[in-house]
Amino acid sequence: MTQDTTKTVASPSGLQRVTVLGTGVLGAQIAFQCAFHGKSVTAYDIDAAALERARDALTRLAQTYAADLPGTTPEATTRVAAAIALSSDLAQAVRDADLVIEAVPEKLELKRSVYAELARLAPEGTIFATNSSTLLPSAFADATGRPEKFLALHFANHIWRQNTAEVMGTPQTDPEVFEQVARFAAEIGMEPIRLHKEQPGYVLNSLLVPLLNAAAALLLKGVASPEDIDKTWRIGTGAKLGPFQIYDIVGLRTAYNIASANPATQGWAEYLKVNYIDKGRLGAGAGGGFYDD
């Protein structure tokens, strides 16, 4: 994944104009990854302050890509970042989109309201894809107004390195749309992982979430510190990161939103809020989390 490109390239998927809704940790990465691989990208967020944060995030990603990817220069990645259009006008952001990738917070009613607006504003042929990590796309497919052109496209954090893209449709998703989106994923440097049926958490999070929950339970019980839990996992398995390091990368607000939606994890949600979120510690690159930035 070393190509620089602010130029358009041949697109067997036919999906060239991409709009990303939400410019948080993953939203910004998705926008940059698409632009890096020659897509025309608009990133949408709710207001000027959010877009200012997005521009800062894209600037940092330009530096990260240049440092992490051999053969990529800072000048090239700076051009990629500058080519991404930013908008807080949803109608303007989606009016020419071939594909809209939604990366808004993990709240079902919020996602349903966003898709109801999209259904009204986006061209009839636009495909909608959700990057939801925990919600099944069938839970809000009806709100899209085009369930046959709607599916999940789930990315892992640090997508330029952890480059899987899980493609998961609903029973209503057109199989041709499914394959079109899988081709698009390959075009932007990802490894498409085709899921044959809906699965909460997809493949990646079905494996990852039990680990994170187990680590949270150990901490809440006072069994060991985050540092020692992480050390145990790294030494015992050879993994590069422990679960609390992963929490910091995912973002503690995301972890809180997921935990607060589940009655079984309310205690963990409250712990995160009181000890970290309320103190401005939101994770890696956002004030620190379990670890300092």
Side-chain angles (χ1 to χ4, degrees):
M1 293 191 298
T2 60
Q3 75 184 85
D4 148 39
T5 166
T6 56
K7 301 177 182 178
T8 57
V9 295
S11 176
S13 72
L15 303 175
Q16 180 60 32
R17 297 180 300 273
V18 181
T19 298
V20 179
L21 303 187
T23 58
V25 172
L26 264 173
Q29 290 182 27
I30 294 166
F32 198 98
Q33 183 76 5
C34 291
F36 187 73
H37 285 272
K39 302 301 181 180
S40 176
V41 179
T42 298
Y44 166 86
D45 219 314
I46 57 174
D47 57 29
L51 293 181
E52 184 175 348
R53 292 191 295 272
R55 183 56 73 193
D56 289 344
L58 293 170
T59 298
R60 291 194 299 272
L61 283 169
Q63 298 166 351
T64 299
Y65 272 59
D68 277 8
L69 300 181
T72 302
T73 67
E75 294 78 15
T77 56
T78 296
R79 289 196 299 273
V80 171
I84 298 171
L86 298 178
S87 177
S88 58
D89 181 334
L90 186 59
Q92 183 276 331
V94 303
R95 66 186 178 192
D96 297 318
D98 300 317
L99 173 67
V100 173
I101 302 174
E102 167 267 308
V104 305
E106 294 285 270
K107 297 179 180 179
L108 178 59
E109 289 310 313
L110 173 61
K111 288 184 185 289
R112 290 185 63 84
S113 68
V114 166
Y115 280 109
E117 241 345 65
L118 278 177
R120 184 175 65 84
L121 296 173
E124 183 178 344
T126 303
I127 293 170
F128 297 161
T130 179
N131 182 56
S132 174
S133 297
T134 59
L135 299 171
L136 291 178
S138 60
F140 42 101
D142 61 310
T144 69
R146 59 191 75 187
E148 75 286 354
K149 292 186 175 71
F150 171 66
L151 73 174
L153 179 61
H154 180 247
F155 298 87
N157 196 35
H158 292 168
I159 68 176
W160 64 95
R161 291 199 308 259
Q162 325 286 56
N163 58 324
T164 60
E166 297 176 282
V167 186
M168 184 173 78
T170 77
Q172 296 171 286
T173 304
D174 184 331
E176 292 185 6
V177 169
F178 183 97
E179 286 303 321
Q180 190 178 7
V181 171
R183 289 194 297 273
F184 167 83
E187 289 167 6
I188 62 167
M190 311 307 292
E191 184 66 39
I193 307 297
R194 292 167 170 83
L195 276 68
H196 304 300
K197 62 185 295 185
E198 284 190 289
Q199 164 65 30
Y202 309 76
V203 174
L204 177 60
N205 285 327
S206 291
L207 298 169
L208 178 61
V209 169
L211 167 66
L212 298 182
N213 286 344
L218 289 171
L219 180 58
L220 289 177
K221 291 177 183 177
V223 172
S225 68
E227 293 79 7
D228 281 345
I229 293 168
D230 281 355
K231 185 189 301 183
T232 302
W233 184 255
R234 292 195 307 269
I235 294 173
T237 68
K240 292 182 179 180
L241 299 175
F244 292 101
Q245 291 171 294
I246 295 171
Y247 268 121
D248 275 1
I249 292 170
V250 170
L252 301 193
R253 195 179 297 281
T254 295
Y256 170 78
N257 287 338
I258 293 170
S260 62
N262 183 349
T265 52
Q266 293 295 310
W268 178 233
E270 182 64 15
Y271 182 92
L272 289 172
K273 182 177 186 300
V274 171
N275 292 283
Y276 295 93
I277 294 172
D278 287 350
K279 297 178 180 178
R281 297 184 65 85
L282 304 180
F290 291 100
Y291 295 87
D292 294 335
D293 283 341

